[in-house]
Amino acid sequence: MAQEVVTAARTPDTVRFNGSKEQYVQAMFAEIAPRYDLLNDLLSFRMHRKWRKLAVRLAGVSSGQTCLDVCTGTGAFAVDLARAVGTEGKVAGSDFCPPMIKAGLNTLQAASHAPIRMTVGNTETLPFATGVFDVVTVGFGIRNVESISSALREMARVAKPGGKIVVLEFTRPEGVSPLINWYLFHFLPWLGGLLSRRDAYNYLPQSMKSFVNRHELAQTMEQSGIDNITVRSLNFGTVCIHIGTRNEAKQEAYSR
Ligand SMILES: C[S@@+](CC[C@H](N)C(=O)[O-])C[C@H]1O[C@@H](n2cnc3c(N)ncnc32)[C@H](O)[C@@H]1O
């Protein structure tokens, strides 16, 4: 796919793309990749690390399991999974932006855990066989895909029947306080612009605003063949962990 740089035109409640969203997202992450981890630490006061660990714990990831992290970026979620599955387990990560994978390679190699196999691939057409993984995770990635339901269906397809699907994501909060609004719409783009690419850090709050809320996300998961969904709300409702299990019958019913 061409790495054409496209700009996001902003309106108050939505993000419009001059070109496809996929092209915009790929080009944007390719550009911010070298500073992605640093900015995550600064902008979330390192809380993003705790959120992924909590998601792994809530999903009950255990020794010997086989896991996949999609939209893996620099691989932070994959590393947490690898620690939980131990040397008996297996972890794969996939992302469609090679510079993000490359930016995370040092961390992946330095960490003391089982090796993680990284693959370049689109979450909407995953390059994995059906029914392989005990747990499939996505961290701060589902908001960025072109079609959320295609991505969720693919995540469910590659999970074993009864396997877990974990979505850690910023969700559109209900009734945000003025302080959080100021942080999201002023401080975050300002700091992002100072250290990286400003429009990328404008995109984050705008994409949150136009993204689904936690109820809508749970409903989309259900319609993608995932059930028994539980939701943990964090950080004043701006971040949520949705966990569900693959249900083949539901998947077939909705795909008819
Ligand atoms: C905000 S980063 C999240 C990275 C990582 N999961 C984390 O927790 O920090 C979003 C990632 O999703 C990837 N991405 C977005 N849409 C994708 C798609 N359709 N297929 C594969 N990767 C995608 C981007 O390349 C980027 O690396």
Side-chain angles (χ1 to χ4, degrees), residues 61-114:
V61 180
S62 58
S63 173
Q65 286 192 317
T66 302
C67 303
L68 169 68
D69 180 42
V70 301
C71 297
T72 193
T74 53
F77 219 160
V79 169
D80 288 334
L81 290 170
R83 290 199 174 113
V85 301
T87 47
E88 302 294 301
K90 287 188 190 136
V91 175
S94 76
D95 198 286
F96 72 2
C97 180
M100 283 292 278
I101 295 178
K102 197 166 157 232
L105 285 183
N106 284 343
T107 329
L108 297 190
Q109 281 155 5
S112 51
H113 50 70

Side-chain angles (χ1 to χ4, degrees), residues 98-152:
M100 283 292 278
I101 295 178
K102 197 166 157 232
L105 285 183
N106 284 343
T107 329
L108 297 190
Q109 281 155 5
S112 51
H113 50 70
I116 297 164
R117 195 170 158 193
M118 286 291 178
T119 306
V120 176
N122 193 322
T123 301
E124 295 182 51
T125 49
L126 285 171
F128 299 101
T130 300
V132 174
F133 298 99
D134 295 295
V135 180
V136 183
T137 58
V138 61
F140 309 109
I142 204 78
R143 184 175 30 91
N144 295 297
V145 302
E146 190 96 48
S147 161
I148 301 170
S149 45
S150 302
L152 289 170

Side-chain angles (χ1 to χ4, degrees), residues 5-8 10 24 28 31-32 189 192-193 196-206:
V5 176
V6 286
T7 54
R10 290 188 296 123
Y24 173 78
M28 181 187 75
E31 223 175 303
I32 66 171
S196 187
R197 212 182 106 181
R198 186 181 170 91
D199 79 315
Y201 288 90
N202 270 328
Y203 164 80
L204 171 64
Q206 292 301 332

Side-chain angles (χ1 to χ4, degrees), residues 2-57:
Q3 292 280 315
E4 178 196 348
V5 176
V6 286
T7 54
R10 290 188 296 123
T11 61
D13 290 320
T14 59
V15 186
R16 285 183 291 110
F17 301 96
N18 303 326
S20 77
K21 178 175 179 181
E22 202 171 287
Q23 280 177 310
Y24 173 78
V25 167
Q26 238 181 356
M28 181 187 75
F29 282 107
E31 223 175 303
I32 66 171
R35 297 203 147 196
Y36 176 81
D37 286 334
L38 171 71
L39 273 156
N40 258 359
D41 276 346
L42 288 175
L43 296 174
S44 77
F45 309 103
R46 291 173 73 92
M47 283 190 294
H48 67 109
R49 294 169 182 258
K50 291 196 176 135
W51 297 333
R52 289 192 205 86
K53 285 186 175 58
L54 176 63
V56 169
R57 194 154 51 79

